[in-house]
Amino acid sequence: DAGVIQSPRHEVTEMGQEVTLRCKPISGHDYLFWYRQTMMRGLELLIYFNNNVPIDDSGMPEDRFSAKMPNASFSTLKIQPSEPRDSAVYFCASSLGRAGGVYNSPLHFGNGTRLTVT
Amino acid sequence: SQQGEEDPQALSIQEGENATMNCSYKTSINNLQWYRQNSGRGLVHLILIRSNEREKHSGRLRVTLDTSKKSSSLLITASRAADTASYFCATEPNYGGSQGNLIFGKGTKLSVKP
């Protein structure tokens, strides 16, 4: 099992540019999560999917952020246009699911994408 | 607002000593999880404790949960230099049937000196 795979590991871009982050979840997992981590705010949930359908995107900061999951093995998080305050580490995580509406299995995290917007 | 708060923010101990980290939260929960994060890496799940459980063990890890005080503790016994990492608690609030999200605290940074 290769685990959750994120690419790229590092991204440096200029303000105003479009940034696309990619994630391949663990095969068979039906939940996929995008988190953002900063020193000031810690880990924030941006959006999560169940069976490729977005369930809760209330954590997405604003319309500049969008996420898609076209199939069970791939998801993208796009920022357009990017701003310096978007600089953070973005994590993708997947899990096997929820029984009775409760998290009963752990989240498996990728190693993140460190985004720097100058 | 932060659901989970770890305490202390940073902890430095010698190899072989025990390390205790605490987590307090605000709402009723379905379960509480602990994760470890090594520098530059993603979070790794350590242990999950359900709201009807009071204590759980996994190797050198011991987790307790006190729902009346809305708090949990993670004890690492006989610490090793390899335990140096940040430790996070994550809670799933119980919103009375509606889907809750897993909310992470800001973590405790543990340093174990050889």
Side-chain angles (χ1 to χ4, degrees), chain B residues 27-40:
Chain B
T27 68
S28 64
I29 59 172
N30 291 323
N31 64 58
L32 184 145
Q33 303 181 36
W34 284 92
Y35 287 79
R36 183 189 75 227
Q37 184 180 32
N38 290 88
S39 181

Side-chain angles (χ1 to χ4, degrees), chain A residues 21 32 34 46-49 52 54 57 60 64-70 75-79:
Chain A
L21 312 181
L32 183 139
W34 282 101
L46 300 177
I47 185 171
Y48 76 93
F49 296 82
N52 314 338
D57 65 354
M60 296 285 260
R64 297 184 298 106
F65 285 69
S66 63
K68 293 181 180 179
M69 192 164 185
S75 177
T76 59
L77 178 67
K78 187 176 291 186
I79 308 173

Side-chain angles (χ1 to χ4, degrees), chain B residues 41-95:
Chain B
R41 305 298 293 264
L43 280 73
V44 175
H45 179 261
L46 295 176
I47 201 162
L48 181 154
I49 186 165
R50 294 188 170 78
S51 59
N52 60 355
E53 297 176 312
R54 291 297 166 258
E55 189 170 313
K56 210 161 181 181
H57 297 255
S58 177
R60 293 183 297 112
L61 305 180
R62 174 179 166 248
V63 168
T64 62
L65 179 63
D66 187 335
T67 53
S68 66
K69 293 182 180 177
K70 291 187 171 58
S71 68
S72 172
S73 67
L74 170 67
L75 168 68
I76 304 175
T77 59
S79 63
R80 304 166 183 168
D83 295 328
T84 294
S86 291
Y87 291 82
F88 296 85
C89 70
T91 55
E92 181 186 8
N94 182 346
Y95 292 138

Side-chain angles (χ1 to χ4, degrees), chain A residues 37-103:
Chain A
Q37 185 178 39
T38 61
M39 288 293 291
M40 287 295 293
R41 301 174 67 91
L43 262 168
E44 301 173 280
L45 177 66
L46 300 177
I47 185 171
Y48 76 93
F49 296 82
N50 176 218
N51 291 322
N52 314 338
V53 176
I55 302 301
D56 184 353
D57 65 354
S58 60
M60 296 285 260
E62 48 200 270
D63 292 346
R64 297 184 298 106
F65 285 69
S66 63
K68 293 181 180 179
M69 192 164 185
N71 56 61
S73 58
F74 184 64
S75 177
T76 59
L77 178 67
K78 187 176 291 186
I79 308 173
Q80 165 64 17
S82 58
E83 297 182 3
R85 60 191 166 123
D86 302 331
S87 296
V89 181
Y90 290 81
F91 287 102
C92 174
S94 68
S95 75
L96 197 51
R98 299 157 65 107
V102 174
Y103 286 103

